[in-house]
Amino acid sequence: MTSPRTAAPEAGTILLRRAGTDVVLTWSDHRIPAIAYWGPSFTHADAADIAAAAAAIATLPVKTTVDAVVPASLLPEHGTGWMGRPGLVGDREGRDWSTAFRLRALEATPARAALVARDETAALEVAIDVEIDEAGLLLLRAGVTNLGTAPYRVERLSLSVPVPADADELLDFTGLWARERVPRRGRIRDGIHLRENRGGRTGHESEFLTVVGRPGFDFRRGAVRGVHVGWSGNRSVAVERLVTGITTIAAGELLFPGEVVLGEGDRYDTPVVYASHGEGLDELAARFHARLRTRARHPRRPRPVTLNSWEAVYFAQDPAAMIALAEAGAAVGVERFVLDDGWFLGRRDAETSLGDWQVDPDVWPDGLGVLADHVHELGMEFGLWFEPEMISERSRLAAEHPEWILHVGDRLPPAARSQQVLDLTNPDAYGAIRDGVVALVEELSVDYIKWDHNRDLVEAGGADGRAATHGQTRAFYALIDELRERFPRLEIESCSSGGARIDMGVLERVDRVWPSDNLDPIERHRIHRYTGLLVPPEMMGAHIGATRTHSTGRTHELAFRALTALLGHFGAELDVRLLAEDERARLAGWIGLHRSLRALIHTGTTVNAEAHGGAVVLRGVVAPDRSRAVYTVAMLEVVASWPPGRIALPGLDPAARYRVRPLPGPDLLPRPPRVPAWWDGAELAHRGELLGALGVELPPLDPEQAFAIEVTAVD
């Protein structure tokens, strides 16, 4: 983030416009600008028109507060009369706790504004960057610099965006292990709806994405706006409504006391705050997908079908078994084999050995090269599991370097899985882990790392005794960036007890995420749907598990499990060796089907619909030119009426005509007693607008059954 050099006028208005998004910034009296409007682009209005319209409906002064109208600036200040949460909170031993920044410099292009403001009394400078990217996402960043000689302690630096007056409903998320991304909805009320995370990772219970909109919005309808903090450490998001009716969303990093203390000339920078808008959640999500797909390192080649060893064998590894598993995977069309936890020194369970990243000779007497070479000879890529940020209390590394464990005082934090957190802010610890991973990647020609992170950070203090979560998160990013720079072809998956580290900070760096350790298809339908608000299909690990799901105990047919995983980065997490011959053949058929569709799945636009209050869910991918689409439809529970009626096929070209048919699969459903005409291949062609509005009739399925629909333009 470079600082502007052009002097700022006392007052002004700027319109930023790109990719269907408008942002209007206004300011007066050299104050920090406010966002007067953010949302869909206007067709005819310019900046002055929009600013004038916004001013005409602005809140009037409240007679019990200051005389002037106090707008919600990008960085709200108590000193202006703002009665909500200030954007910057900090002090110098109790002084300089309130600010009155004056705009000094501002530069703007059609899609970006950069500004600098100073408070000479407090000896502070803030730089704020407002940008619309090529996907139409609004990106906000800020930095505060200490211009004084005395240290300045930063407690909070967050940026604010306005919420429209008609956006009265709030959606965010909660969850836990094996039940990630559980939606929570409610009305916005006076006061603060505050979500904070102190676990040092994004978290299972993460707010994930904070969405506001007109009451009743869904995936296809209702104007919505969403805010997300692109940061894999501690975060804070506040939806605040004042008694004046002004509502804002403020977002940034959550800092522990004393975690950021700025010496003279030092600067603290916020994570990027991402904001998206749309008519319905699908359009909001499409902007995040488009941004990730334009990354320089976004994978362009077909996403390899993956077989992971974890739920096949857990810790029971041996060379013969793993070679046989890899061979069984290759025979059904697997393209990447991943050896999960259990291969390194002394690792027989989850309670030892993290940090000892050497191949265990008791398990692999001839080394891992035996397996890696064989996997490559079979024509597959070789992947390896690591948990680089963690250290087991029972490990050689902990015995040799106990000072490398994040801790406070003379005590260790409470253990989780008998493990602690390695202090990556310590250059020696960072270098030891980096070198261990590098050596194995080079020796084994590792193509892919499954990067895990299986506990929250508790009392994460560094060598100086200060809170270290901020530095630990930065070090994690640096380690991934360094490995990617050294090994340009290496791919990395983010896993954290399943889906506990999925955010734009990590998504900007990795090739794939693991949404959940729960492979139950009932649960996965919800997890995929809401994880997909940020994550495009090609980055979302979606595996077929065993017939009996290990995390829930429920049993499901292969077709239901396969169709649940079809519209993602496809794979399997089961012991292929144990499958009967006919089931292996059907698994191979599903893999082949996915491979035939993945060019569409991994480049198209994701759409969603539902019927019967979510008892029937549809998820689809529509080609960029809308010439083709694939939808999966699942009946998750018994519906309230019979027959079940219709479901919409969204995202198609309204004017085009389409042929609709069941997608031929290796496991055809038993023929229902009554089927709609399109099910039997009737050559009917319907306009896209009718399919989007009226949909197609559903066959009467049993609960926990699914099918796929292929739609092809015939014009």
Side-chain angles (χ1 to χ4, degrees):
M1 189 168 71
T2 58
S3 296
R5 299 181 181 179
T6 303
E10 178 182 358
T13 299
I14 292 174
L15 170 63
L16 308 179
R17 176 171 285 170
R18 191 181 191 187
T21 297
D22 280 2
V23 174
V24 176
L25 301 175
T26 62
W27 71 97
S28 61
D29 195 27
H30 286 292
R31 293 296 188 184
I32 291 175
I35 296 178
Y37 173 80
W38 155 55
S41 289
F42 290 100
T43 303
H44 305 292
D46 60 17
D49 295 331
I50 301 169
I57 60 173
T59 301
L60 296 174
V62 179
K63 63 182 180 181
T64 56
T65 61
V66 297
D67 292 338
V69 175
V70 182
S73 76
L74 288 161
L75 191 71
E77 296 177 88
H78 185 67
T80 66
W82 177 256
M83 292 293 103
R85 281 162 52 98
L88 175 62
V89 178
D91 71 298
R92 304 179 202 273
E93 299 296 332
R95 297 182 179 273
D96 299 330
W97 57 272
S98 183
T99 59
F101 284 107
R102 309 290 285 179
L103 192 61
R104 288 295 192 87
L106 187 147
E107 290 181 357
T109 65
R112 179 176 177 267
L115 63 96
V116 170
R118 282 191 179 185
D119 182 334
E120 299 292 354
T121 301
L124 295 171
E125 179 177 277
V126 292
I128 301 176
D129 195 87
V130 182
E131 178 187 1
I132 305 173
D133 74 0
E134 59 186 292
L137 280 177
L138 172 60
L139 277 59
L140 302 173
R141 310 173 184 85
V144 59
T145 302
N146 179 14
L147 304 179
T149 56
Y152 180 81
R153 181 179 63 180
V154 181
E155 294 184 26
R156 179 172 70 240
L157 181 60
S158 61
L159 292 165
S160 293
V161 298
V163 173
D166 62 351
D168 200 39
E169 187 169 7
L170 169 67
L171 165 69
D172 63 5
F173 297 86
T174 186
L176 65 162
W177 177 78
R179 191 168 169 76
E180 292 89 340
R181 255 80 62 207
V182 178
R184 307 191 319 169
R185 295 182 76 133
R187 301 299 289 268
I188 299 175
R189 302 177 184 274
D190 287 357
I192 296 175
H193 175 86
L194 179 63
R195 299 295 303 278
E196 293 185 337
N197 168 54
R198 291 175 172 81
R201 57 178 175 172
T202 321
H204 293 104
E205 74 290 354
S206 164
E207 84 292 336
F208 190 61
L209 182 68
T210 302
V211 181
V212 295
R214 295 172 183 167
F217 66 82
D218 59 22
F219 278 92
R220 305 301 298 178
R221 297 172 301 168
V224 291
R225 288 166 173 83
V227 172
H228 170 82
V229 183
W231 183 244
S232 305
N234 295 335
R235 297 167 328 287
S236 175
V237 179
V239 180
E240 182 172 24
R241 173 169 288 173
L242 303 185
V243 294
T244 60
I246 294 175
T247 307
T248 60
I249 304 176
E253 181 181 9
L254 185 148
L255 297 171
F256 284 126
E259 190 163 15
V260 174
V261 179
L262 303 178
E264 184 177 7
D266 290 344
R267 172 168 162 159
Y268 163 74
D269 288 302
T270 68
V272 178
V273 175
Y274 298 81
S276 183
H277 66 88
E279 181 64 24
L281 295 171
D282 281 345
E283 185 180 346
L284 178 149
R287 299 183 189 279
F288 287 104
H289 296 184
R291 176 175 177 83
L292 291 168
R293 285 172 169 172
T294 58
R295 298 177 303 158
R297 285 184 169 171
H298 192 73
R300 308 295 176 206
R301 65 189 180 92
R303 305 288 71 226
V305 174
T306 299
L307 174 62
N308 186 283
S309 71
W310 181 242
E311 290 198 7
V313 299
Y314 292 100
F315 289 106
Q317 294 184 9
D318 68 71
M322 293 302 91
I323 286 172
L325 182 61
E327 289 175 343
V332 295
V334 167
E335 298 161 307
R336 173 186 285 158
F337 180 83
V338 180
L339 184 66
D340 211 288
D341 194 359
W343 55 267
F344 51 100
L345 205 59
R347 186 71 163 179
R348 300 295 179 274
D349 53 44
E351 298 187 354
T352 68
S353 306
L354 291 174
D356 298 341
W357 301 113
Q358 300 91 39
V359 177
D360 192 330
D362 291 338
V363 178
W364 298 92
D366 298 316
L368 267 182
V370 172
L371 176 63
D373 290 346
H374 192 64
V375 166
H376 286 136
E377 289 168 2
L378 290 168
M380 296 187 292
E381 297 179 8
F382 179 68
L384 197 58
W385 180 95
F386 287 93
E387 195 171 356
E389 299 150 88
M390 299 297 156
I391 181 170
S392 296
E393 293 183 13
R394 288 190 291 152
S395 65
R396 290 186 181 181
L397 189 64
E400 294 170 359
H401 292 286
E403 75 280 8
W404 287 2
I405 298 174
L406 288 171
H407 68 287
V408 173
D410 59 357
R411 64 182 182 271
L412 285 179
R417 290 164 49 109
S418 299
Q419 70 190 55
Q420 298 289 349
V421 183
L422 191 70
D423 184 3
L424 292 182
T425 69
N426 181 316
D428 293 333
Y430 177 100
I433 295 302
R434 176 202 59 208
D435 293 347
V437 174
V438 165
L440 284 161
V441 171
E442 290 181 333
E443 176 189 349
L444 302 172
S445 298
V446 173
D447 304 290
Y448 174 87
I449 289 175
K450 181 180 177 182
W451 188 302
D452 216 339
H453 180 290
N454 277 313
R455 64 156 294 170
D456 288 331
L457 275 60
V458 179
E459 283 204 323
D464 60 0
R466 293 183 182 275
T469 305
H470 171 80
Q472 184 79 359
T473 307
R474 291 287 183 201
F476 158 62
Y477 289 161
L479 183 52
I480 283 198
D481 292 345
E482 189 172 349
L483 289 171
R484 296 297 300 267
E485 186 68 26
R486 184 158 184 166
F487 303 106
R489 295 178 60 83
L490 179 69
E491 294 195 5
I492 297 176
E493 173 186 77
S494 173
C495 176
S496 184
S497 312
R501 185 153 66 182
I502 299 176
D503 58 80
M504 289 296 286
V506 73
L507 284 165
E508 295 274 14
R509 291 172 164 83
V510 301
D511 303 280
R512 172 175 131 135
V513 295
W514 187 233
S516 179
D517 284 341
N518 190 345
L519 291 173
D520 186 314
I522 295 289
E523 299 296 327
R524 275 285 183 142
H525 273 285
R526 185 201 71 255
I527 292 168
H528 288 174
R529 163 178 271 199
Y530 289 112
T531 302
L533 290 176
L534 291 185
V535 184
E538 66 271 25
M539 295 185 70
M540 191 186 307
H543 289 186
I544 299 172
T547 302
R548 183 179 185 274
T549 301
H550 295 192
S551 56
T552 66
R554 287 194 288 233
T555 61
H556 296 99
E557 295 294 328
L558 176 59
F560 190 56
R561 290 176 279 142
L563 284 163
T564 303
L566 186 68
L567 303 185
H569 186 168
F570 197 73
E573 192 132 351
L574 73 169
D575 196 338
V576 185
R577 300 172 302 169
L578 303 181
L579 299 181
E581 185 175 343
D582 68 320
E583 194 169 16
R584 282 201 201 192
R586 287 185 287 126
L587 176 60
W590 284 111
I591 290 172
L593 177 63
H594 172 82
R595 288 169 62 170
S596 73
L597 296 171
R598 65 184 167 191
L600 165 61
I601 295 169
H602 295 164
T603 60
T605 301
T606 301
V607 295
N608 292 273
E610 64 178 36
H612 295 283
V616 180
V617 294
L618 173 145
R619 187 165 175 81
V621 179
V622 182
D625 64 0
R626 296 193 287 184
S627 63
R628 188 182 178 208
V630 172
Y631 304 94
T632 61
V633 182
M635 187 165 295
L636 304 183
E637 57 189 68
V638 176
V639 300
S641 63
W642 204 257
R646 307 175 72 87
I647 195 163
L649 302 183
L652 302 172
D653 181 345
R657 289 187 180 275
Y658 292 92
R659 184 184 70 243
V660 181
R661 67 184 184 118
L663 186 70
D667 285 299
L668 292 176
L669 287 171
R671 182 179 174 83
R674 185 179 66 83
V675 295
W678 65 268
W679 185 271
D680 274 339
E683 290 296 324
L684 301 176
H686 298 284
R687 296 284 185 190
E689 64 179 343
L690 296 177
L691 292 171
L694 304 178
V696 296
E697 188 177 3
L698 291 165
L701 303 178
D702 291 331
E704 302 182 14
Q705 285 188 326
F707 64 94
I709 299 173
E710 182 180 49
V711 176
T712 308
V714 296
D715 286 349

